[in-house]
Amino acid sequence: MTLKLLAVSAALIGFTVTGAVIPGLCDEVSRAASVRVAANQQAAPDFAGINNWFNSRPLSIADLRGKVVLVDFWTYGCVNCVNTLPHVTDLYAKYKDKGLVVVGVHTPEFPFERSASNVQAALKRHGITYPVAQDNDSKTWNAYRNQYWPAQYIIDQSGKIVFQHAGEGRYDEIDRTVARLLNVNS
């Protein structure tokens, strides 16, 4: 075994063990740190360039003032996104009557994910009943300066982003953040 081959093998083992993402080979994040926006809370951008709305009339951030909003960027062809959907749907079921609004923003990565009928079939398959915006031109994605599938943004009652997370995990922390904003026990 040459020294170069040994070095490449060690690097690949390191990536596998730590769950790191190799830049340029994967656009998704399996594990990423949450970013809390504290002192400089940013106003949440509005939903822009939406092709279709499912399970709802068209929504705007202004319409949702007074509510806690979870914006979930996903696409049905992303395995990491699919892994988060049970947690997002459970959170919605738990808090929808207490003031939480979940808005899924389906932003396709591949051409086949642009089909409205494919998105609708995915909603049915995954039992998604909360509003979903189809963002085929990535305008809402870009407005949020999002870079990953999946990604969650929690918006407080005044329309400020107070928490964001890219990737799978942090489900308990997301639940606690929503519960705290709603002033309920998680």
Side-chain angles (χ1 to χ4, degrees):
M1 185 178 274
T2 68
L3 187 56
K4 185 176 181 181
L5 183 57
L6 183 59
V8 170
S9 298
L12 287 175
I13 291 169
F15 278 116
T16 303
V17 170
T18 64
V21 175
I22 301 171
L25 294 180
C26 182
D27 289 332
E28 299 169 9
V29 171
S30 62
R31 274 183 262 176
S34 291
V35 176
R36 292 175 196 244
V37 181
N40 58 349
Q41 292 179 344
Q42 168 188 340
D46 207 356
F47 306 109
I50 300 303
N51 303 87
N52 294 299
W53 282 91
F54 302 96
N55 302 329
S56 174
R57 62 175 174 69
L59 298 173
S60 72
I61 292 297
D63 293 338
L64 300 174
R65 286 273 159 78
K67 304 272 187 189
V68 173
V69 181
L70 172 68
V71 176
D72 180 44
F73 285 92
W74 69 292
T75 186
Y76 70 82
C78 161
V79 71
N80 301 104
C81 298
V82 171
N83 289 344
T84 66
L85 291 177
H87 303 282
V88 175
T89 56
D90 288 350
L91 194 71
Y92 177 66
K94 184 175 181 179
Y95 295 117
K96 69 180 178 181
D97 295 330
K98 295 176 171 74
L100 174 68
V101 176
V102 172
V103 178
V105 179
H106 184 275
T107 308
E109 182 176 14
F110 301 108
F112 66 87
E113 295 169 324
R114 300 173 68 81
S115 162
S117 61
N118 287 353
V119 174
Q120 198 143 33
L123 299 180
K124 185 175 180 181
R125 186 169 55 252
H126 297 292
I128 297 172
T129 59
Y130 51 79
V132 173
Q134 187 175 2
D135 185 28
N136 279 356
D137 300 319
S138 301
K139 291 189 177 178
T140 297
W141 172 283
N142 292 334
Y144 277 77
R145 296 183 178 157
N146 191 46
Q147 298 179 21
Y148 305 106
W149 290 277
Q152 300 82 33
Y153 295 79
I154 299 176
I155 302 165
D156 71 8
Q157 292 90 332
S158 68
K160 305 283 187 199
I161 297 172
V162 296
F163 179 93
Q164 69 187 73
H165 172 69
E168 296 183 48
R170 300 281 172 93
Y171 306 119
D172 290 338
E173 190 174 359
I174 291 169
D175 188 299
R176 284 191 308 272
T177 301
V178 168
R180 180 180 50 79
L181 290 170
L182 292 173
N183 225 4
V184 297
N185 294 325
S186 58

